[in-house]
């Protein structure tokens, strides 16, 4: 007998999920149907379909995983030695390396950057009725994890000419129910107001969580590593990040007192004294030993990787200088972004430029679509959130995108890609030969 789908309102769950959203695939399956009933404000601003490569395929991917033979050897050693679980020595060794890099007493590897944020929010004791100030111009995992603990994300605009909110943007959205701020250092550009935001949180008694998923190794204008200003910092080790375990992440804290609670929260709420007594609801956010073994040796490579990112940014800025209609991304005192972004004058130009680059095998990515405009707000019970106007975040989402940025790129690659951009705006310019072959 064929099984029938159980209606959502008749399903049973263990416990309660805060702010459950409707799985739109249970109602419609065709992509156009998913957006047909969205409010005009969302439909008119939503991203265009991704451009396809030319006949030769992608010549340059937007991001590539980078790792050494030592990473592979460590993973093999973990397999041969049975050190593959979260209880193996490799997650502990990774935690030690992170603590040393960031100068913190507590670091715990996790299954992803999102699960690390989930754990950090739980460690802050956030729940229903609490407000958390978050950037609208960031990855959706930030809002998702706030909702997962029952709190409400309050979306804040980016500062003028910046990828991140500043102190004023956060203050404009603060309420009596505000309990925390999440700063994201989007695209690896350090938030220019991070010191002021940290001071504001201390003054108001708010928690400060730094999301450095795109900013591991990034330094603030004062030379201090981002991720060392807040109460907690979380990061991702996904395959497109500066260092990678394939998947994974970590959470670290500046105060040693958080160690036991964080350790319990990433492991079902296990109590160190009573193994099978659980005093709070908690996820399974542990990282496996294989992933930790794979990424462990990369931590020491991070400064060199970030030095190369800085060189890529310099080359991009030099090669794109003087192209009318192209604006390079925000530049901080220490300029080494995770990805290098540019902005055009309008949405059609951005889309046509991306198509032009794709035809020549250059993969790109649109800037983030603002969280307050995401369709989940319409389908998931936050109707009206999308009527909020956050002009800087919305403008960047319409005109911005980022170019290939990874550890395999050389100067000739940047010259070639920027020549393609120049050719788009001025057809009289000649294209140099591609510096590499597809594949």
């Amino acid at each position: 007998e064929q099984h029938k789908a159980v209606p959502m309102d008749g399903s049973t769950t263990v416990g309660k999920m805060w702010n459950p959203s409707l799985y739109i695939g249970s109602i419609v399956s065709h992509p156009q149907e998913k957006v047909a009933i969205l409010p005009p404000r969302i439909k008119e601003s939503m991203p265009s379909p991704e451009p396809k490569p030319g006949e030769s395929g992608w010549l340059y991917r937007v991001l590539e995983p980078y790792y050494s033979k030592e990473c592979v050897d460590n993973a093999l050693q973990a397999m041969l030695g049975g050190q593959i679980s979260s209880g193996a020595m490799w997650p502990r060794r990774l935690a030690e390396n992170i603590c040393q890099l960031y100068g913190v007493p507590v670091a715990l590897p996790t299954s992803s950057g999102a699960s690390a944020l989930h754990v950090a929010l739980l460690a802050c004791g956030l729940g229903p009725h609490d407000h958390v100030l978050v950037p609208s111009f960031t990855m959706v995992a930030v809002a998702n994890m706030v909702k997962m603990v029952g709190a409400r994300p309050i979306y804040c605009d980016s500062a003028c000419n910046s990828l991140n909110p500043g102190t004023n943007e956060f203050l404009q959205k603060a309420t009596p129910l505000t309990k925390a701020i999440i700063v994201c250092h989007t695209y690896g550009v350090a938030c220019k107001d991070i010191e002021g935001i940290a001071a504001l949180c201390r003054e108001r008694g708010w928690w400060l969580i730094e999301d450095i998923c795109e900013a591991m190794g990034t330094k603030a204008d004062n030379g201090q590593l981002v991720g060392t200003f807040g109460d907690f910092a979380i990061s991702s080790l996904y395959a497109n990040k500066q260092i990678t375990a394939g998947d994974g992440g970590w959470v670290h804290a500046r105060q040693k007192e958080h160690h036991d609670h964080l350790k319990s929260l990433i492991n079902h709420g296990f109590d160190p004294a009573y193994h099978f007594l659980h005093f709070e609801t908690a996820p399974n956010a542990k990282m496996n030993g294989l992933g930790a073994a794979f990424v462990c040796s990369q931590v020491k490579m991070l400064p060199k990787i970030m030095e190369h990112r800085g060189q890529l940014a310099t080359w991009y800025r030099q090669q794109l200088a003087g192209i009318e209609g192209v604006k390079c991304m925000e530049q901080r005192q220490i300029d080494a972004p995770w990805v290098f972004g540019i902005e055009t004058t309008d949405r059609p130009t951005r889309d046509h430029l991306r198509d032009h680059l794709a035809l020549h095998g250059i993969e790109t990515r649109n800037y983030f679509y603002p969280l307050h405009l995401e369709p989940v707000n319409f389908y998931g019970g936050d109707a009206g959130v999308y009527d909020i106007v956050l002009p800087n975040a919305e403008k960047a989402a319409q005109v911005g995108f980022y170019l290939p940025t990874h550890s395999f790129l050389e100067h000739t690659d940047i010259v070639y890609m920027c020549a393609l951009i120049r050719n788009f705006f001025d057809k009289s310019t000649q294209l140099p030969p591609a510096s590499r072959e597809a594949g």
Side-chain angles (χ1 to χ4, degrees), residues 236-249:
S236 167
L237 294 169
Y238 183 59
N240 64 2
K241 298 304 189 292
Q242 294 93 325
I243 61 175
T244 179
D247 267 307

Side-chain angles (χ1 to χ4, degrees), residues 260-314:
D260 289 353
H261 193 199
L262 288 172
K263 186 176 180 181
S264 174
L265 286 170
I266 68 169
N267 189 24
H268 305 284
F270 274 104
D271 185 83
Y274 303 97
H275 190 70
F276 282 115
L277 283 183
H278 301 263
F279 296 92
E280 61 183 329
T281 302
N284 174 13
K286 304 187 301 296
M287 184 182 196
N288 69 76
L290 279 178
F294 186 79
V295 73
C296 223
S297 64
Q298 296 177 44
V299 177
K300 66 175 182 279
M301 297 163 54
L302 187 56
K304 196 70 176 177
I305 291 171
M306 295 307 296
E307 182 181 334
H308 181 257
R309 281 299 204 277
Q311 183 64 77
L312 292 179
T314 298

Side-chain angles (χ1 to χ4, degrees), residues 195-244:
E195 291 182 275
I197 293 167
L200 172 66
C201 288
R202 289 192 297 269
E203 175 189 328
R204 298 290 181 95
W206 297 341
W207 295 99
L208 175 57
I209 299 173
E210 288 184 84
D211 179 338
I212 59 169
C213 287
E214 300 172 357
M216 63 180 90
T218 296
K219 293 182 179 180
D221 288 349
N222 66 358
Q224 184 177 335
L225 282 171
V226 301
T228 59
F229 294 88
D231 300 285
F232 299 96
I234 62 98
S235 193
S236 167
L237 294 169
Y238 183 59
N240 64 2
K241 298 304 189 292
Q242 294 93 325
I243 61 175
T244 179

Side-chain angles (χ1 to χ4, degrees), residues 115-128 130-133 145-146 149-151 177-183 201 205-211 230-234 251-255 257-263 265 280-281 283:
S115 66
L117 181 54
H118 190 189
V119 166
L121 291 164
L122 290 172
C124 294
L126 299 172
D130 292 333
H131 288 179
V132 180
L133 305 180
M145 292 305 105
V146 173
V149 301
L177 297 179
T178 298
K179 294 295 194 310
I181 289 178
I182 300 176
V183 172
C201 288
W206 297 341
W207 295 99
L208 175 57
I209 299 173
E210 288 184 84
D211 179 338
D231 300 285
F232 299 96
I234 62 98
V251 55
H252 69 245
R254 291 196 301 141
Q255 300 299 325
E257 65 195 46
H258 294 300
H259 175 271
D260 289 353
H261 193 199
L262 288 172
K263 186 176 180 181
L265 286 170
E280 61 183 329
T281 302

Side-chain angles (χ1 to χ4, degrees), residues 10-324:
S11 62
T12 59
T13 60
V14 179
K16 179 180 180 181
M17 175 182 173
W18 291 104
N19 297 326
S21 60
L22 176 64
Y23 172 50
I24 185 60
S26 64
I27 299 176
V28 296
S29 58
H30 194 280
Q32 292 181 346
E33 293 181 36
K34 294 180 183 180
V35 301
I37 65 171
L38 289 172
R41 180 159 155 73
I42 299 178
K43 283 197 292 187
E44 292 167 5
S45 64
M46 59 183 276
S48 304
E50 285 296 299
K52 304 297 183 184
E55 293 182 359
S56 299
W58 294 121
L59 185 62
Y60 293 97
R61 303 309 298 254
V62 70
L63 288 155
E64 295 273 11
Y66 179 72
Y67 50 88
S68 67
K69 183 177 182 297
E70 186 179 1
C71 302
V72 179
D73 291 342
N74 286 347
L76 180 60
Q77 180 183 337
M79 285 190 285
L80 294 176
Q83 295 286 312
I84 63 174
S85 78
S86 60
M89 69 171 185
W90 290 104
R92 294 194 297 274
R93 186 174 296 181
L94 176 59
E96 292 168 0
N97 291 345
I98 294 167
C99 286
Q100 183 176 4
L101 176 65
Y102 283 91
V104 294
V106 179
L108 292 164
T110 60
S111 56
S112 68
S115 66
L117 181 54
H118 190 189
V119 166
L121 291 164
L122 290 172
C124 294
L126 299 172
H129 311 301
D130 292 333
H131 288 179
V132 180
L133 305 180
V134 304
S136 183
F137 189 69
T138 190
M139 201 266 189
V140 71
V142 175
N144 285 349
M145 292 305 105
V146 173
K147 295 175 185 178
M148 287 290 285
V149 301
R152 181 181 178 188
I154 305 298
Y155 302 112
C156 302
D157 200 7
S158 304
C160 184
N161 296 317
S162 179
L163 297 171
N164 300 292
T167 306
N168 290 336
E169 284 71 32
F170 283 123
L171 276 173
Q172 287 170 7
K173 295 294 182 177
T175 74
L177 297 179
T178 298
K179 294 295 194 310
I181 289 178
I182 300 176
V183 172
C184 291
H185 308 291
T186 296
Y187 297 143
V189 176
C191 174
K192 63 181 180 181
D193 278 357
I194 185 60
E195 291 182 275
I197 293 167
L200 172 66
C201 288
R202 289 192 297 269
E203 175 189 328
R204 298 290 181 95
W206 297 341
W207 295 99
L208 175 57
I209 299 173
E210 288 184 84
D211 179 338
I212 59 169
C213 287
E214 300 172 357
M216 63 180 90
T218 296
K219 293 182 179 180
D221 288 349
N222 66 358
Q224 184 177 335
L225 282 171
V226 301
T228 59
F229 294 88
D231 300 285
F232 299 96
I234 62 98
S235 193
S236 167
L237 294 169
Y238 183 59
N240 64 2
K241 298 304 189 292
Q242 294 93 325
I243 61 175
T244 179
D247 267 307
W250 80 76
V251 55
H252 69 245
R254 291 196 301 141
Q255 300 299 325
K256 188 176 181 179
E257 65 195 46
H258 294 300
H259 175 271
D260 289 353
H261 193 199
L262 288 172
K263 186 176 180 181
S264 174
L265 286 170
I266 68 169
N267 189 24
H268 305 284
F270 274 104
D271 185 83
Y274 303 97
H275 190 70
F276 282 115
L277 283 183
H278 301 263
F279 296 92
E280 61 183 329
T281 302
N284 174 13
K286 304 187 301 296
M287 184 182 196
N288 69 76
L290 279 178
F294 186 79
V295 73
C296 223
S297 64
Q298 296 177 44
V299 177
K300 66 175 182 279
M301 297 163 54
L302 187 56
K304 196 70 176 177
I305 291 171
M306 295 307 296
E307 182 181 334
H308 181 257
R309 281 299 204 277
Q311 183 64 77
L312 292 179
T314 298
W315 290 337
Y316 268 127
R317 293 187 191 281
Q318 290 173 345
Q319 295 298 318
L320 293 170
I323 301 180
E324 188 173 352

